[in-house]
DNA sequence: AAAAAAGACAACCGCCAATAT
DNA sequence: AATATTGGCGGTTGTCTTTTT
């Protein structure tokens, strides 16, 4: 017996989301929280299927999402995690606060894959490509990069012997042969601890980054149990970001459209981080604090549409509670 | 300047596992 | 226990933008 479709698809809209639809969905979620997705479109007045709404929310509208290109650090982390987890994008994403599996998957397919190939690394196995030697010999710069990006991560995995707790639930059933040759960095040498229930994320990468003096542990987006991760903010400053957003004339620009040109999200948040990531423009994790609330208020007050303002006002003060109540909220911290 | 090709990313599809009935 | 429902995941496709010819 085949599975029934998640919804009656007749008359449902498909394709890119319009800003109107985004507004409706945001208003609904902010007001009511994440409930049964199947019911969302009907209640929110959307001609979309629930699945589509969930996807739109989790991938693009959630306020805690970072936008913009992955930083070099994030990219390294993705490579590192991919070497250990394979194409389990959601697992990888769980180690990168503010990033979605879809985003990481896309970035992998469009950027990292090519980069690794250029560097003479097989993006599937994370081993040197057969002709890598020749390549790297003729491309010393790339070789240098390869050493910088990959070697430290992989070798440290092998050298260090931390307790293995990577995905222990999933690991036994995970068939590496199914998708790829078992990577050099096997689970046996893995050091990543699954980030769940507020556990601290421990990755070899973080250690290596420390060693490399690139990031201090203070700057690493480790979420402590007593920290509230923050609904973060779309990166406005990142014009680069919008490599993506610019491409979509309507929907993806919605949040940016909402933002005033000189509007700054949560001024207090981790200024150090900002300073240290000027080039990347995408470290936007912020604390859900008064400033953030005020920012929303500011945003809302600037809107001429009175009705919408009301909706947002209501939603604004409910949202933190909604997050606290929502068991499904990412990172499982609440 | 226009057309074609390539690149980038948002969104969809189908499957699966967990949960509810 | 069996079946239905829902949410989540990964692969793939479609569409828009940018670059090249």
């Amino acid at each position: 017996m085949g599975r029934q479709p998640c919804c009656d698809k007749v008359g449902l809209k498909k394709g890119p989301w319009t800003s109107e639809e985004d507004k409706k969905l945001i208003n609904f979620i902010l007001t009511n929280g994440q409930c049964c997705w199947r019911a969302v479109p009907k209640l929110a007045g959307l001609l979309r299927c629930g699945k589509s709404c969930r996807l739109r929310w989790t991938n693009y509208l959630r306020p805690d999402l970072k936008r913009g290109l992955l930083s070099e650090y994030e990219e390294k982390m993705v490579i590192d995690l991919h070497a250990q987890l394979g194409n389990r994008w959601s697992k990888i994403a769980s180690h990168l606060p503010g990033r979605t599996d879809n985003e990481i998957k896309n970035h992998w397919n469009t950027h990292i894959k090519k980069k690794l190939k250029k560097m003479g690394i097989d993006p599937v196995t994370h081993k040197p490509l057969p002709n890598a030697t020749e390549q790297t010999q003729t491309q010393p710069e790339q070789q240098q990069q390869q050493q910088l990006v990959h070697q430290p991560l992989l070798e440290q995995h092998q050298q260090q012997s931390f307790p293995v707790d990577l995905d222990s639930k999933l690991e036994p059933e995970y068939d590496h042969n199914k998708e790829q040759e078992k990577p050099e960095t096997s689970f046996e040498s893995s050091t990543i601890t699954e980030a769940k229930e507020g556990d601290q994320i421990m990755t070899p990468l973080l250690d290596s980054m420390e060693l490399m003096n690139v990031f201090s542990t203070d700057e690493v987006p480790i979420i402590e149990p007593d920290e509230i991760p923050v609904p973060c903010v779309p990166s406005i400053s990142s014009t680069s970001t919008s490599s993506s957003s610019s491409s979509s004339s309507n929907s993806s620009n919605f949040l940016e459209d909402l933002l005033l040109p000189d509007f700054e999200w949560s001024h207090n948040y981790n200024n150090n981080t900002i300073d240290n990531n000027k080039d990347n423009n995408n470290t936007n994790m912020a604390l859900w604090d008064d400033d953030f609330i005020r920012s929303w208020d500011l945003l809302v007050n600037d809107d001429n549409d009175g009705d919408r303002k009301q909706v947002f006002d209501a939603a604004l003060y409910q949202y933190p509670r909604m997050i606290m109540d929502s068991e499904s909220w990412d990172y499982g911290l609440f």
Side-chain angles (χ1 to χ4, degrees):
Chain A
M1 182 174 62
R3 215 193 117 187
Q4 287 185 343
C6 68
C7 46
D8 179 13
K9 293 185 178 179
V10 179
L12 291 185
K13 192 170 177 298
K14 284 172 68 175
W17 280 63
T18 66
S19 57
E20 265 316 304
E21 289 176 308
D22 281 344
K23 286 174 202 170
K24 282 181 181 176
L25 183 57
I26 290 175
N27 282 342
F28 180 82
I29 299 293
L30 293 186
T31 309
N32 302 288
Q34 294 177 51
C35 60
C36 167
W37 284 110
R38 190 187 170 89
V40 166
K42 198 176 178 183
L43 296 171
L46 290 161
L47 288 172
R48 295 273 181 176
C49 90
K51 210 171 177 178
S52 180
C53 293
R54 181 179 59 80
L55 203 71
R56 184 66 186 167
W57 173 257
T58 53
N59 282 344
Y60 301 98
L61 301 178
R62 256 167 51 193
D64 64 329
L65 290 178
K66 289 182 192 177
R67 305 297 298 164
L69 293 172
L70 270 71
S71 66
E72 199 177 323
Y73 167 73
E74 287 174 312
E75 217 168 74
K76 285 174 184 170
M77 191 138 180
V78 170
I79 294 168
D80 189 36
L81 289 163
H82 186 273
Q84 299 170 68
L85 297 167
N87 289 0
R88 287 188 288 179
W89 305 113
S90 64
K91 286 287 163 196
I92 293 172
S94 72
H95 290 277
L96 294 160
R99 300 295 187 182
T100 68
D101 51 354
N102 205 37
E103 192 178 11
I104 291 170
K105 180 171 60 182
N106 280 334
H107 191 76
W108 178 270
N109 287 327
T110 55
H111 294 104
I112 301 179
K113 249 183 176 177
K114 287 178 201 164
K115 227 183 227 181
L116 290 178
K117 279 179 185 169
K118 259 189 176 179
M119 289 158 52
I121 296 171
D122 185 339
V124 178
T125 62
H126 292 258
K127 290 177 178 175
L129 288 164
N131 56 348
T133 327
E134 302 159 26
Q135 273 191 346
T136 49
Q137 274 172 354
T138 55
Q139 296 167 332
E141 201 177 312
Q142 288 170 1
Q143 186 179 15
Q144 199 180 354
Q145 253 193 321
Q146 175 179 349
Q147 283 173 348
L148 193 88
V149 174
H150 225 71
Q151 191 184 24
L153 308 182
L154 298 181
E155 287 188 354
Q156 281 180 36
H157 298 171
Q158 291 159 349
Q159 287 164 7
Q160 297 170 355
S161 52
F162 290 82
V164 178
D165 186 21
L166 175 70
D167 222 359
S168 49
K169 289 173 296 187
L170 295 168
E171 203 270 321
E173 73 223 28
Y174 181 61
D175 182 6
H176 287 273
N177 295 327
K178 202 172 71 182
E179 340 181 325
Q180 63 187 52
E181 201 179 330
K182 193 172 182 180
E184 199 108 44
T185 50
S186 66
F187 286 104
E188 287 72 34
S189 62
S190 160
T191 64
I192 292 192
T193 301
E194 190 67 52
K196 60 183 178 189
E197 309 296 340
D199 283 347
Q200 184 169 332
I201 301 170
M202 293 291 291
T203 74
L205 176 62
L206 299 185
D207 298 333
S208 66
M209 295 310 275
E210 275 183 48
L211 290 171
M212 292 161 69
N213 231 356
V214 177
F215 263 73
S216 77
T217 46
D218 295 341
E219 294 156 358
V220 171
I222 292 173
I223 302 172
E224 299 291 352
D226 57 339
E227 286 177 344
I228 297 179
V230 190
C232 136
V233 211
S235 168
I236 356 162
S237 54
S238 71
T239 40
S240 66
T241 357
S242 305
S243 63
S244 73
S245 341
S246 65
S247 68
S248 124
S249 52
N250 44 20
S251 55
S252 9
N253 284 352
F254 169 62
L255 286 172
E256 288 171 17
D257 290 347
L258 277 175
L259 304 177
L260 307 176
D262 57 346
F263 180 78
E264 283 186 12
W265 289 89
S266 193
H267 318 300
N268 264 0
Y269 74 83
N270 207 345
N271 288 329
N272 293 335
T273 311
I274 295 175
D275 289 338
N276 289 329
N277 292 279
K278 272 177 190 163
D279 294 338
N280 300 323
N281 277 337
N282 54 7
T283 309
N284 291 329
M285 292 303 289
L287 292 179
W288 182 273
D289 54 12
D290 290 345
D291 281 346
F292 184 78
I293 301 286
R294 273 195 294 277
S295 299
W296 264 100
D297 204 28
L298 210 162
L299 166 68
V300 164
N301 285 330
D302 193 64
D303 198 303
N304 292 330
D305 182 346
D307 293 340
R308 191 166 112 198
K309 175 184 179 305
Q310 277 192 333
V311 177
F312 270 112
D313 277 345
L316 179 60
Y317 296 105
Q318 284 180 359
Y319 195 36
R321 286 194 295 278
M322 180 270 286
I323 292 171
M324 300 296 282
D325 292 338
S326 171
E327 290 181 3
S328 62
W329 192 254
D330 275 50
Y331 318 126
L333 292 173
F334 299 109

